[in-house]
Amino acid sequence: DTEVTQTPKHLVMGMTNKKSLKCEQHMGHRAMYWYKQKAKKPPELMFVYSYEKLSINESVPSRFSPECPNSSLLNLHLHALQPEDSALYLCASSQVWSTASNEKLFFGSGTQLSVL
Amino acid sequence: LAKTTQPISMDSYEGQEVNITCSHNNIATNDYITWYQQFPSQGPRFIIQGYKTKVTNEVASLFIPADRKSSTLSLPRVSLSDTAVYYCLVGTRNSGNTPLVFGKGTRLSVIA
């Protein structure tokens, strides 16, 4: 199984809603990532988890709250989002996150989020 | 952080070989060069990775000169389904740097 599964595929939410994005992998990877991608732009790194611990937060606003309940699951909790947060949210995993630079990321298909 | 520079876009006819060059003048000694492909509304997909000289797999070839300041992704005999954005990534793990940062990528359009 070389898949990263993201749910839901599409999400529409109001600015006062609370929602969660989910990501799952069963490749035994111990590093998981959240990226945000606006239309016709490259993916932007948001968070990195290594061995279920938050390793990197790229100065993401607190209305985005990541959670890694176990080595296979990664969640992104959303609250009080703004319309400019509308984007494709991508989850990825890799075997580890280390000082080596030959990481290969496996991406899910993403959640297309629209904030009204 | 090793910054990468790629052409913004390229056009090609079906059946032609396409070469996309990435410049990474500040590549560090231990850095690998990794290429990803991304179709619309999908996550990027790993294509190929190399450290020096030439690497080939069933999808593409990667050519890296001795100075490693650039690399070229070669796609043989492209088809319409190769229309995508191609990203070149070079990792640098100095303190405080994030592991994998995507540059602007090259938008390849394959024409029938």
Side-chain angles (χ1 to χ4, degrees):
Chain A
D1 185 0
T2 58
E3 277 195 3
V4 174
T5 303
Q6 290 189 244
T7 55
K9 292 193 182 304
H10 302 275
L11 179 63
V12 179
M13 62 185 290
M15 290 188 285
T16 59
N17 292 158
K18 287 185 181 181
K19 297 286 185 183
S20 297
L21 310 184
K22 297 186 183 302
C23 175
E24 190 169 2
Q25 57 87 15
H26 295 288
M27 295 177 279
H29 289 174
R30 303 310 299 270
M32 297 187 77
Y33 311 77
W34 280 115
Y35 280 83
K36 172 183 177 180
Q37 186 173 27
K38 303 281 275 185
K40 298 196 183 301
K41 299 291 187 182
E44 296 176 23
L45 186 68
M46 300 174 72
F47 302 103
V48 178
Y49 271 84
S50 177
Y51 291 90
E52 296 95 71
K53 286 185 170 34
L54 184 63
S55 296
I56 289 180
N57 177 340
E58 287 290 283
S59 302
V60 179
S62 60
R63 58 186 183 269
F64 296 91
S65 176
E67 178 196 20
C68 190
N70 59 54
S71 60
S72 300
L73 294 174
L74 185 66
N75 298 322
L76 185 62
H77 302 298
L78 313 173
H79 174 55
L81 294 193
Q82 304 297 310
E84 58 264 28
D85 296 321
S86 297
L88 180 67
Y89 288 84
L90 295 163
C91 172
S93 70
S94 65
Q95 283 191 324
V96 292
W97 181 68
S98 69
T99 55
S101 65
N102 60 336
E103 301 291 352
K104 297 175 188 176
L105 294 185
F106 292 78
F107 281 85
S109 294
T111 294
Q112 187 64 55
L113 174 68
S114 296
V115 182
L116 303 179
Chain B
L1 184 64
K3 180 181 176 182
T4 60
T5 303
Q6 303 174 232
I8 296 295
S9 64
M10 295 180 70
D11 293 332
S12 175
Y13 288 102
E14 278 192 294
Q16 290 189 327
E17 178 185 77
V18 171
N19 296 312
I20 305 174
T21 296
C22 178
S23 172
H24 30 78
N25 291 322
N26 295 327
I27 190 169
T29 302
N30 296 328
D31 285 346
Y32 281 74
I33 300 155
T34 309
W35 286 80
Y36 290 84
Q37 173 192 57
Q38 186 178 24
F39 298 114
S41 301
Q42 292 188 27
R45 180 177 74 107
F46 171 86
I47 301 177
I48 197 166
Q49 184 182 76
Y51 182 78
K52 61 179 180 180
T53 62
K54 177 184 175 182
V55 179
T56 297
N57 62 22
E58 64 278 5
V59 176
S61 294
L62 180 59
F63 299 91
I64 306 169
D67 66 6
R68 304 201 327 122
K69 292 185 183 299
S70 67
S71 59
T72 299
L73 174 73
S74 181
L75 304 173
R77 297 180 300 281
V78 294
S79 64
L80 295 175
S81 62
D82 293 315
T83 294
V85 180
Y86 293 83
Y87 294 100
C88 158
L89 277 72
V90 176
T92 302
R93 298 298 185 97
N94 295 327
S95 60
N97 284 349
T98 52
L100 288 173
V101 176
F102 284 77
K104 295 180 180 178
T106 297
R107 190 171 299 272
L108 173 65
S109 297
V110 179
I111 307 162

